[in-house]
């Protein structure tokens, strides 16, 4: 088992020395291929924004205020209970909504938007339906939803787009005149003929969270509007041309002003009015339900349970103010920024940047990029999606760091896989290298020197450094690197290999000093001191003796070699 570990350690050391820093370039090239494949086929990185987006939107310090002119008239559980004694269980006769529309119209609201689908006739109350239809016909600012069914059902439908007022050709002459749409339209002709209709489908993302609102659908060249788009058109708002917008949430549920439907209707139809008679003047009044029993609740970034009527209110609010969110993303920006982060990190590893400093810079840069996304979504209506590029950078950094640590272990493998005591004598070759410069080299340069010496050697060794910034007598030893080879006394080939490795290192020293950034006139002194290690004596004492003799030899027998 020990021999297997030794063989594995030798193979790893040889591999790392052969690859050297080129591994970091190969890794960057590999991740570049992965990024391009993902951008062209899988789109995983581009679509990673959801969770980060949800957290940032939910945690905003600065969020737009809900429009005070948007009021939600809520059919809540209190309304269902209060009206049950007179009208029975929901759905109520349409006369209820006719009375509400007729009374609220007298207060001159800007718009009355029903977030209720009146899809079927009330067979038990035909007069109630007729009354509601007449009330709709008399109102010029009432809006009604329809449901757009799956396109798979379009061939089964007899409804052509041109038959729905408000549905227009996206490009004149380009729409299919024979296309049919599977839709559930309002039962009331007055609602359809008004042209103030729109679909109220709210489609969540694949994870079930509602983040976007569809302003219109492009079906066979026909522009089918949503309810929010129809309201925006009728009120003269500047409506965006994009089919989907990212909702700029105003806050958690019940951020808008809510009033209870039963309370409002009771006051409207009573002789003694307690509520202000101009309560809805100039308002956009939305009638919908938050009652859990009516199942109009969705999951959003703001809450797992969010009223569907408030999603509609937020969409209308966004259309009115044009402040829906924009996302800085897309295949090109995703690829370019991902590759920029990957190759910048690769350059730092390849140039052997100080690892402690690199860890700090990398960590702070990733936090900084996340901070940029968070700040922009607080102070602007733009979300800068950096989640995908950041993930690629972290993936590169993690693999590169593991390789660097494995490389360090491989270069020091003799400590774990050295020759066993009792199986022959041990020999050591100690090479102190003293770099003489006007000022201490500093920790970063010494780490580079240590790394270059490790990578330049082909046989097992250890490299340690003494810093010139040390106080007292130890300052006399810096800036010094000490290279030591430990090998079995037999066979003699081990000793010859260590000596050859040391000679090769001596020849490389001038270029190593220049490569790490030292000036050409830097002086360096070195010497080689061999010695034996006895297995029956403490190794620490023997190593101290070898080091002392090597330093003495360096001082009195070494030669000055400028530029080495």
């Amino acid at each position: 088992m020990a021999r297997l570990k030794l063989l594995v350690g030798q193979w790893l050391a040889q591999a790392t020395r052969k690859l050297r820093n080129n591994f970091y370039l190969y890794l960057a090239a590999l991740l570049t291929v992965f990024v391009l494949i993902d951008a062209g086929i899988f789109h995983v990185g581009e679509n990673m924004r959801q969770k980060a987006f949800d957290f940032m939107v939910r945690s905003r310090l600065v969020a737009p205020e809900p429009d005070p002119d948007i009021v939600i008239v809520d059919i809540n559980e209190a309304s269902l209970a209060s009206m049950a004694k007179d009208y029975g269980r929901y759905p109520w006769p349409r006369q209820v909504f006719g009375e509400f529309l007729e009374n609220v119209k007298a207060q001159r609201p800007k718009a009355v938007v029903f977030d209720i689908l009146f899809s079927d006739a009330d067979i038990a109350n035909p007069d109630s339906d007729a009354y509601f239809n007449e009330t709709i016909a008399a109102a010029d600012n009432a809006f009604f939803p329809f449901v757009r069914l799956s396109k798979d059902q379009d061939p089964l439908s007899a409804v052509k787009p041109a038959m729905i007022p408000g549905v227009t050709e996206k490009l004149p002459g380009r729409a299919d005149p024979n296309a049919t749409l599977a839709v559930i339209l309002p039962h009331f002709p007055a609602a359809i003929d008004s042209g103030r209709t729109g679909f109220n489908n709210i489609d969540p993302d694949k994870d079930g969270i509602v983040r976007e609102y569809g302003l219109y659908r492009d079906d066979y060249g026909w522009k089918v509007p949503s309810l929010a788009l129809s309201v925006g058109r009728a009120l003269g708002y500047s409506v965006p041309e994009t089919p989907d917008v990212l909702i700029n949430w105003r806050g958690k549920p019940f951020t808008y002003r809510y009033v209870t439907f039963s309370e409002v209707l009771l006051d409207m139809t009573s002789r003694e009015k307690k509520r202000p008679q101009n309560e809805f003047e100039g308002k956009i009044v939305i009638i919908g339900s938050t009652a859990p029993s009516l199942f109009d609740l969705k999951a959003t970034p703001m809450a797992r349970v969010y009223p569907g009527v408030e999603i509609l209110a937020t969409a209308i609010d966004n259309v009115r103010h044009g402040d829906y969110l924009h996302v800085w993303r897309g295949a090109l920006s995703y690829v370019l920024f991902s590759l920029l982060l990957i190759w910048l990190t690769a350059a730092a590893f390849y140039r052997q940047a100080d690892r402690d400093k690199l860890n700090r810079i990398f960590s702070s840069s990733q936090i900084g990029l996340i901070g940029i996304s968070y700040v922009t979504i607080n102070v602007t209506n733009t979300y800068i999606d950096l989640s995908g590029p950041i993930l690629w950078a972290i993936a590169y950094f993690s693999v590169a760091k593991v390789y660097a640590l494995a490389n360090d272990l491989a270069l020091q493998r003799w400590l774990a896989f050295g020759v066993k005591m009792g199986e022959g004598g041990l020999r050591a070759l100690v090479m102190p290298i003293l770099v003489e410069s006007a000022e201490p080299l500093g920790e970063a340069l010494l780490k580079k020197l240590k790394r270059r010496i490790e990578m330049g050697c082909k046989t097992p060794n250890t490299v340690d450094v003494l810093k010139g910034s040390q106080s007292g007598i130890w300052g006399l030893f810096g800036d010094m690197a000490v290279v030591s080879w430990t090998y079995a006394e037999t066979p003699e080939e081990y000793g010859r290999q260590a000596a050859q490795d040391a000679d090769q290192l001596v020849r490389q020293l001038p270029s190593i000093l220049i490569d790490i950034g030292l000036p050409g006139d830097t002086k360096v002194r070195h010497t080689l001191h061999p010695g034996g290690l006895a297995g029956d004596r403490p190794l620490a004492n023997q190593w101290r003796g070898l080091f002392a003799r090597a330093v003495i030899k360096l001082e009195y027998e070494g030669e000055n070699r400028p530029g080495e």
Side-chain angles (χ1 to χ4, degrees):
M1 188 65 182
R3 183 172 179 80
L4 178 60
K5 290 182 178 180
L6 177 60
L7 291 175
V8 171
Q10 289 175 341
W11 175 83
L12 183 58
Q14 291 172 0
T16 53
R17 281 196 174 91
K18 188 174 182 179
L19 287 173
R20 299 198 176 189
N21 286 356
N22 291 331
F23 171 84
Y24 302 116
L25 302 182
Y26 299 151
L27 178 62
L30 180 64
L31 288 189
T32 297
V33 174
F34 287 167
V35 169
L36 295 176
I37 292 175
D38 179 60
I41 300 175
F42 299 109
H43 309 291
V44 174
E46 291 181 67
N47 297 326
M48 285 185 59
R49 68 177 174 87
Q50 279 103 336
K51 298 303 179 185
F53 170 78
D54 293 352
F55 174 77
M56 292 188 182
V57 169
R58 187 168 53 248
S59 307
R60 280 190 296 183
L61 298 176
V62 182
E65 294 292 330
D67 194 320
D69 288 338
I70 296 177
V71 181
I72 296 174
V73 181
D74 186 12
I75 303 175
N76 51 20
E77 291 292 350
S79 293
L80 297 178
S82 173
M83 299 187 67
K85 57 181 180 291
D86 294 325
Y87 299 103
R89 297 181 62 185
Y90 192 88
W92 305 315
R94 275 53 181 284
Q95 157 193 350
V96 172
F97 298 102
E99 290 177 359
F100 178 87
L101 179 59
E102 190 170 37
N103 282 278
V104 79
K105 185 181 116 176
Q107 295 190 25
R108 297 187 299 277
K110 190 171 293 184
V112 180
V113 185
F114 284 90
D115 189 29
I116 303 169
L117 181 63
F118 301 102
S119 57
D120 299 308
D122 186 350
I123 299 175
N125 299 282
D127 292 341
S128 175
D129 276 7
Y131 167 63
F132 190 30
N133 189 67
E134 291 174 2
T135 307
I136 295 170
D140 60 358
N141 61 349
F143 296 81
F144 295 86
F146 62 82
V147 174
R148 176 69 171 97
L149 301 177
S150 171
K151 293 187 74 171
D152 296 339
Q153 301 182 44
D154 286 349
L156 305 177
S157 175
V159 179
K160 293 185 176 182
M163 297 167 59
I164 307 175
V167 175
T168 59
E169 293 182 273
K170 187 176 181 182
L171 294 174
R174 299 287 184 87
D176 183 0
N178 299 315
T180 56
L181 302 180
V183 292
I184 301 177
L185 295 172
H187 167 69
F188 300 100
I192 298 175
D193 295 342
S194 71
R196 295 185 295 273
T197 60
F199 65 81
N200 67 342
N201 302 58
I202 298 177
D203 300 319
D205 291 335
K206 292 181 179 180
D207 59 357
I209 306 297
V210 175
R211 299 181 180 90
E212 295 183 322
Y213 184 87
L215 288 179
Y216 70 86
R217 293 175 57 115
D218 184 357
D219 288 326
Y220 314 107
W222 295 92
K223 192 172 184 178
V224 183
S226 67
L227 193 55
L229 180 60
S230 292
V231 173
R233 281 177 175 173
L235 299 183
Y237 300 149
S238 179
V239 181
E241 292 299 321
T242 179
D244 302 293
V245 293
L246 194 60
I247 299 174
N248 192 353
W249 303 96
R250 278 17 184 178
K252 293 183 178 181
F254 302 99
T255 299
Y256 286 87
R257 181 190 168 202
Y258 276 78
V259 295
T260 301
F261 181 89
S262 58
E263 293 177 358
V264 172
L265 182 63
L266 178 63
D267 188 80
M268 284 179 172
T269 55
S270 63
R271 292 184 178 181
E272 296 183 5
K273 312 291 185 183
K274 297 181 180 179
R275 303 178 71 93
Q277 294 306 290
N278 62 346
E279 181 177 5
F280 302 109
E281 182 177 355
K283 308 294 185 182
I284 298 175
V285 180
I286 305 175
I287 303 98
S289 174
T290 65
S293 59
L294 298 184
F295 307 108
D296 189 20
L297 301 171
K298 312 288 183 183
T300 72
M302 307 307 298
R304 302 300 297 182
V305 178
Y306 201 95
V309 65
E310 192 161 350
I311 296 176
L312 173 61
T314 308
I316 294 174
D317 199 346
N318 287 181
V319 169
R320 180 176 187 181
H321 296 280
D323 63 352
Y324 50 91
L325 293 176
H326 304 269
V327 179
W328 184 79
R329 59 171 178 169
L332 181 59
S333 58
Y334 160 68
V335 168
L336 292 179
F337 205 72
S338 296
L339 296 186
L340 176 64
L341 293 182
I342 288 171
W343 284 97
L344 283 176
T345 310
F349 274 100
Y350 182 78
R351 294 179 63 85
Q352 298 180 342
D354 179 81
R355 291 186 192 170
D356 293 335
K357 184 182 293 185
L358 178 58
N359 288 342
R360 292 194 299 270
I361 293 175
F362 183 84
S363 300
S364 59
S365 65
Q366 304 311 299
I367 295 173
L369 292 174
I370 295 173
I372 289 173
S373 296
Y374 183 70
V375 169
T376 54
I377 204 170
N378 272 275
V379 300
T380 71
N381 294 326
T382 299
Y383 172 59
I384 300 179
D385 178 25
L386 301 176
S387 53
I390 289 175
L391 183 68
W392 284 115
I394 292 175
Y396 179 92
F397 184 83
S398 301
V399 175
K401 191 169 183 180
V402 169
Y403 172 81
L405 293 175
N407 198 13
D408 289 345
L409 292 175
L411 290 170
Q412 300 173 13
R413 70 188 185 280
W414 72 274
L415 291 172
F417 307 119
V419 179
K420 293 182 179 179
M421 294 297 179
E423 294 186 353
L426 286 177
R427 298 288 296 174
L429 181 63
V430 181
M431 181 181 180
I433 303 170
L434 181 62
V435 180
E436 297 178 329
S437 60
E439 296 181 2
L441 300 188
E443 186 175 355
L445 277 176
L446 285 174
K447 283 186 177 181
K448 286 185 179 180
L449 176 61
K450 179 178 184 292
R451 184 69 175 168
R452 286 301 305 272
I453 292 174
E454 288 174 338
M455 299 301 295
C457 296
K458 296 182 179 179
T459 56
N461 62 60
T462 57
V463 183
D464 295 289
V465 294
L466 294 175
K467 304 173 186 177
S469 58
Q470 295 174 124
S471 60
I473 191 171
W474 291 106
L476 302 175
F477 289 93
D479 296 306
M480 179 182 289
V482 181
V483 189
S484 56
W485 291 262
T486 305
Y487 50 90
E489 191 170 20
T490 58
E492 296 180 356
E493 179 64 23
Y494 292 156
R496 285 194 294 269
Q497 289 180 358
Q500 291 172 3
D501 208 18
D503 290 340
Q504 179 179 331
L505 177 58
V506 169
R507 292 192 295 271
Q508 292 178 344
L509 274 177
S511 60
I512 288 176
L513 296 178
I514 293 174
D515 288 346
I516 66 173
L518 291 175
D521 59 352
T522 300
K523 294 182 179 180
V524 61
R525 289 192 288 145
H526 59 81
T527 190
L528 287 170
H529 180 71
L533 297 172
D536 57 350
R537 294 168 51 197
L539 286 177
N541 294 339
Q542 297 180 69
W543 273 111
R544 283 193 290 268
L546 281 174
F547 174 70
R549 289 191 290 272
V551 172
I552 293 172
K553 185 176 180 179
L554 173 66
E555 183 63 28
Y556 292 103
E557 298 179 17
E559 298 177 356
N560 282 338
R561 298 180 177 90
E564 294 186 1

